Amino acid sequence: MAVDNSARKRGAWLRTIDGGEAPPTREVGGAPEPSGDDEFVEDCPQLRGRAGTGPWELWEELPGPVAGVEVTSFSDAFVEILGELGIEHAYGISGGAIVPFYDALSRSQLSVIHCRHEAGAAFAALEDSLASGRPTVVFTTTGPGITNALTGLVAARWEGAKVLFISAATPLAQTGRGAFQDTSFHTLPVGLFTAGSVFDYVETVAAPEQLARVARRLETGLAKVGGFVAHVSVPTDLQRAEVTRDRGVRRGSLMRMGCDPEAVASIAQELRDTSAGPTAIWVGFGARSAAPQIRALAERLGAAVMSSPRGKGVFPESHPQFIGVTGFAGHSHVKSWIERHRPQRVLVLGTRLGEFTTFWDPRMVPDQGFIHVDIDPDAGGEAYPLAYTRTVQAEIGAFVGALLEQLDDHVPATMPGRGYLGPQRLDPVEDRRVRPTFLMQCVQDGVVDAGARVMTEAGNAFAWGNHLLRFDEPNRYRVSTGFGSMGHAVTGVIGAALAEPGRKAVAIAGDGAMLMNSEISTAVQYGLPAVWIVLNDSQYGMIDHGMRHGGYAPESVSMPSTDFVAIARAMGADGVAVRDESELAAALEQAMRAEGPFVVDVHIDPNQRAPFLERADGLFKAKPWQGPPRA
């Protein structure tokens, strides 16, 4: 069951699996195309109603494994399949009920990262997946092992990662009899064992013969464009069971998904017409694999480009056509530009325009509406249901590439107005706690510009990062503005570090998040080049600032002063404390030079408010909905 990893990395490819022989094909314009067999079309809904995704353009046969039949244990066979699916890293914590599978993992070619908490393992796995483009594994034992991992697994689903969760279950003969950590759909929440809001696919293994079906379903799910989170629950006795595994089975083909030429031509004609006003482009994290094409399109159209917080770097933030980040801790220049130059249409690429991207501000709605391109047809019109939205279901890279071909003869235009100029430079001030604004300036100079991958934690950290850090490349800034769990970045950073060992991975987090779970000990054990920059103000800063802004008195949001360098050194890492702005640049340079995990404990000014007050206004000052207006 070999998988072409290089093909999977190309966002425009979609793999579907058809059992046995490859489906019949016919020649169309020199390239083979599905024959139209009814059964095959039913299995591939993209071939029905081609207006959304267009014709299939290319077939490429998947390589197959060496033929043969092997009798082995379920766990050994399953682990071998995981390797064939392109998985290289597995994160989790072992326990009695998962030992047979864990033993097979440990003897395999996969790298196994034994973490300190299951939630940390799940966050690390999802960040590894997003950084590397490869699927990852999370493994846990029964009961609390599963529920501990749940927050990170939900985050993986929200973030669009590819993560396979493999958990232990109580043997059927023991369940319901008071077994220790009794685990089945009878004893744990039903959502853990059914596909739905947490998992795209769930399989509870009841017999070894299910392995072939599980492998097929995982292969098809991982082949899809976008995220895929699956849960395979395996009772302990079945982990040891014998299984006969067939080799040499032809699994199917790769098929490239194109775009409807008529739809592309129509949209190109719309974009050519600038008589009523300019065009703007709004990019998000979902467009990260199409960054070069998006830049070429923007320059050809002379379009202003804005990004969601998660989309920072998809379009270079230093580019003169970049007008700023929208939404949470975004830039006021975006709305100033829109009000002054009033784009007639906005091309939306790879963002659902949710709350932290738009705050659903009606001023962001263009006069002639949105052209919304996404692989999910439900994304269009979701945030602004009353705005005119032309939804295009397509892979963004394929769509923008086709659009550029249509605009090949278009004379490049000039964007009206100016782009976002960036934050004002600050000089260090001695004998005072570090201003977060100055800290971010030093992070830009010594961390971002040095090529590190940066993650900001839920709280004031991701407000400062969204607002002040600037990236010119995609996939170098990570922030969770959807699920937004504290503890995400401080643990996910080890996954990002493992995904690309030659690049520093840096988490910027508050002291509250660091006290939840940091996985520093795990980073020490595996020598991972992770860095934690701690905004140490002895309080939950965002809660304090938000409550004060909303007219509430913050209670019990402060905490005892914590020495994070002492904690890091006690676990075998290194670190440095910063109490003065003059010390900051040297401390960050030391962290970037460190070969192992390193903590920079920055004692910040607790009174400098982060730029998130628009969010606080939405929570505390928005009026309750009064229903539709009366006639």
Side-chain angles (χ1 to χ4, degrees):
M1 191 187 301
V3 173
D4 186 346
N5 292 324
S6 62
R8 187 194 300 118
K9 290 179 182 177
R10 297 195 294 271
W13 290 83
L14 181 68
R15 185 190 295 111
T16 57
I17 310 300
D18 187 69
E21 294 295 317
T25 63
R26 58 187 175 88
E27 294 291 324
V28 179
E33 178 171 324
S35 67
D37 177 81
D38 289 341
E39 181 178 352
F40 180 69
V41 171
E42 182 64 29
D43 287 340
C44 301
Q46 291 81 1
L47 295 182
R48 303 191 303 269
R50 297 187 176 206
T53 56
W56 297 108
E57 297 175 344
L58 182 66
W59 283 81
E60 181 178 325
E61 192 66 25
L62 282 173
V66 178
V69 177
E70 179 184 43
V71 178
T72 185
S73 75
F74 182 97
S75 292
D76 283 323
F78 196 7
V79 169
E80 185 177 348
I81 287 168
L82 297 178
E84 292 171 353
L85 292 173
I87 293 167
E88 296 182 4
H89 300 151
Y91 300 81
I93 299 179
S94 185
I98 196 72
V99 160
F101 177 77
Y102 180 66
D103 175 67
L105 268 181
S106 301
R107 291 183 283 101
S108 75
Q109 297 295 316
L110 275 66
S111 296
V112 181
I113 309 302
H114 211 236
C115 298
R116 304 298 172 263
H117 194 279
E118 291 89 352
F123 285 126
L126 86 86
E127 289 302 332
D128 183 332
S129 172
L130 293 176
S132 67
R134 297 185 297 266
T136 54
V137 160
V138 176
F139 61 90
T140 73
T141 189
T142 48
I146 296 171
T147 56
N148 281 349
L150 184 57
T151 301
L153 294 168
V154 173
R157 180 75 181 272
W158 282 54
E159 295 293 322
K162 285 184 163 68
V163 175
L164 305 185
F165 176 44
I166 300 168
S167 71
T170 303
L172 184 61
Q174 299 175 9
T175 190
R177 299 171 59 194
F180 178 66
Q181 296 180 347
D182 193 351
T183 297
S184 71
F185 61 87
H186 296 295
T187 58
L188 291 183
V190 67
L192 293 172
F193 298 99
T194 56
S197 58
V198 181
F199 300 110
D200 296 284
Y201 163 66
V202 174
E203 188 80 41
T204 300
V205 178
E209 291 74 21
Q210 286 176 250
L211 183 59
R213 186 179 70 194
V214 169
R216 179 69 58 84
R217 291 294 301 273
L218 294 180
E219 193 172 20
T220 57
L222 292 173
K224 295 176 181 177
V225 178
F228 179 72
V229 180
H231 179 197
V232 181
S233 174
V234 189
T236 307
D237 55 343
L238 289 180
Q239 294 172 38
R240 303 188 303 268
E242 277 192 352
V243 62
T244 300
R245 186 171 177 229
D246 293 323
R247 295 174 175 272
V249 177
R250 298 183 67 188
R251 298 294 179 186
S253 301
L254 288 167
M255 294 180 289
R256 187 172 185 175
M257 185 169 62
C259 298
D260 177 18
E262 293 183 4
V264 174
S266 173
I267 291 170
Q269 188 60 37
E270 282 189 50
L271 298 178
R272 288 176 189 272
D273 180 14
T274 59
S275 59
T279 293
I281 300 174
W282 205 337
V283 297
F285 186 65
R288 62 193 182 279
S289 62
Q293 300 97 309
I294 292 171
R295 177 171 181 166
L297 177 64
E299 291 174 345
R300 190 166 299 177
L301 294 174
V305 182
M306 49 196 169
S307 83
S308 70
R310 294 177 73 221
K312 286 168 68 70
V314 170
F315 189 82
E317 293 190 68
S318 63
H319 195 286
Q321 288 173 229
F322 183 73
I323 60 173
V325 176
T326 64
F328 182 80
H331 303 131
S332 60
H333 180 70
V334 174
K335 291 178 182 177
S336 297
W337 189 94
I338 285 176
E339 289 172 354
R340 181 173 300 175
H341 301 288
R342 203 60 210 166
Q344 292 304 294
R345 63 190 65 80
V346 172
L347 178 61
V348 181
L349 302 173
T351 171
R352 301 182 79 93
L353 303 181
E355 179 185 7
F356 268 36
T357 297
T358 65
F359 290 111
W360 307 302
D361 189 337
R363 292 173 294 178
M364 301 298 290
V365 178
D367 294 342
Q368 295 183 18
F370 297 106
I371 302 171
H372 199 138
V373 184
D374 202 283
I375 57 172
D376 181 1
D378 294 330
E382 184 177 70
Y384 290 102
L386 298 181
Y388 173 76
T389 302
R390 182 173 182 179
T391 300
V392 180
Q393 184 187 14
E395 192 277 321
I396 292 169
F399 171 82
V400 176
L403 195 58
L404 283 168
E405 292 180 3
Q406 290 284 336
L407 295 169
D408 186 55
D409 60 345
H410 183 70
V411 178
T414 301
M415 184 189 86
R418 64 167 178 83
Y420 175 61
L421 299 179
Q424 183 179 358
R425 295 287 298 184
L426 302 172
D427 294 322
V429 177
E430 296 183 357
D431 301 323
R432 61 162 293 168
R433 290 176 72 115
V434 177
R435 294 164 293 171
T437 47
F438 185 76
L439 169 60
M440 291 299 143
Q441 176 178 294
C442 292
V443 169
Q444 182 72 49
D445 296 342
V447 176
V448 177
D449 293 348
R453 177 173 282 111
V454 177
M455 308 171 64
T456 54
E457 187 67 84
N460 282 349
F462 72 3
W464 291 119
N466 292 351
H467 193 70
L468 295 175
L469 299 182
R470 305 185 78 187
F471 294 83
D472 286 344
E473 302 170 77
N475 215 27
R476 285 205 32 226
Y477 180 68
R478 284 284 301 122
V479 61
S480 176
T481 52
F483 197 54
S485 171
M486 288 180 68
H488 181 148
V490 293
T491 55
V493 68
I494 70 167
L498 185 63
E500 194 174 357
R503 187 193 296 273
K504 282 284 187 181
V506 179
I508 304 174
D511 44 3
M514 282 294 289
L515 289 170
M516 286 187 172
N517 178 21
S518 65
E519 296 292 343
I520 292 174
S521 173
T522 306
V524 170
Q525 181 176 351
Y526 297 97
L528 301 176
V531 174
W532 291 260
I533 299 174
V534 186
L535 279 61
N536 191 340
D537 57 3
S538 299
Q539 65 176 355
Y540 291 106
M542 175 171 278
I543 298 173
D544 179 273
H545 296 171
M547 291 184 69
R548 292 182 191 278
H549 180 73
Y552 297 89
E555 294 291 339
S556 300
V557 299
S558 61
M559 62 186 72
S561 178
T562 304
D563 187 340
F564 290 99
V565 174
I567 293 174
R569 288 176 176 165
M571 289 190 282
D574 200 0
V576 62
V578 177
R579 293 180 171 82
D580 189 281
E581 291 183 354
S582 62
E583 305 168 348
L584 193 51
L588 293 175
E589 183 181 353
Q590 184 180 353
M592 293 296 287
R593 288 200 314 264
E595 294 183 0
F598 197 94
V599 172
V600 184
D601 186 2
V602 186
H603 294 254
I604 64 167
D605 179 356
N607 297 315
Q608 188 174 47
R609 292 190 177 182
F612 69 89
L613 297 182
E614 188 175 4
R615 160 68 170 167
D617 288 340
L619 285 174
F620 303 133
K621 298 183 179 181
K623 295 180 179 179
W625 188 60
Q626 302 297 322
R630 296 181 180 179

